[in-house]
């Protein structure tokens, strides 16, 4: 894995963690009927970074990675179109999950060098 691939992998991990943090902070319960108070400025910034990652991934990784990043980007755009004030916390929670799922899948498609894996997973 070259430095560009490593950097992009770290950015994808950052995005995944960021969306998870947003989900935990603003849409903590699936059964919450209250409106979601998502910060659209922050979501816009994450969306731009996600779109940039999607473009960068095409020449660096397998098509499956780009495809998963594209799906996450489209889900993020959908969430942005519905914000602010249209979504309940439960719907926002599910929409954030729909962004994180393809990000996790993209990370799984990226090969981690054996020397960087956890010791107990190196033989896999």
């Amino acid at each position: 894995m070259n430095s560009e691939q490593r950097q992009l992998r770290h950015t994808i991990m950052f995005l995944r963690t960021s969306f998870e943090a947003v989900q935990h902070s603003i849409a903590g319960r699936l059964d919450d009927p209250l409106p979601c108070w998502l910060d659209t400025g922050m979501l816009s910034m994450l969306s731009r970074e996600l779109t940039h990652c999607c473009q960068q991934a095409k020449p660096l990784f397998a098509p499956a990675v780009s495809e998963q990043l594209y799906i996450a980007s489209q889900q993020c755009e959908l969430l942005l179109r519905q914000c602010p004030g249209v979504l309940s916390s439960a719907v926002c929670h599910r929409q954030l999950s729909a962004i994180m799922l393809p990000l996790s899948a993209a990370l799984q498609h990226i090969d981690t060098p054996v020397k960087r894996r956890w010791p107990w997973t190196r033989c896999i």
Side-chain angles (χ1 to χ4, degrees), residues 46-57:
L46 291 172
S47 179
R48 282 190 304 273
E49 190 62 33
L50 185 53
T51 301
H52 184 66
C53 282
C54 188
Q55 294 166 351
Q56 282 185 311

Side-chain angles (χ1 to χ4, degrees), residues 21-41:
V22 168
Q23 185 184 48
H24 287 306
S25 69
I26 58 101
R29 294 191 314 244
L30 272 171
D31 59 351
D32 191 353
L34 296 174
C36 181
W37 49 272
L38 188 63
D39 178 6
T40 55

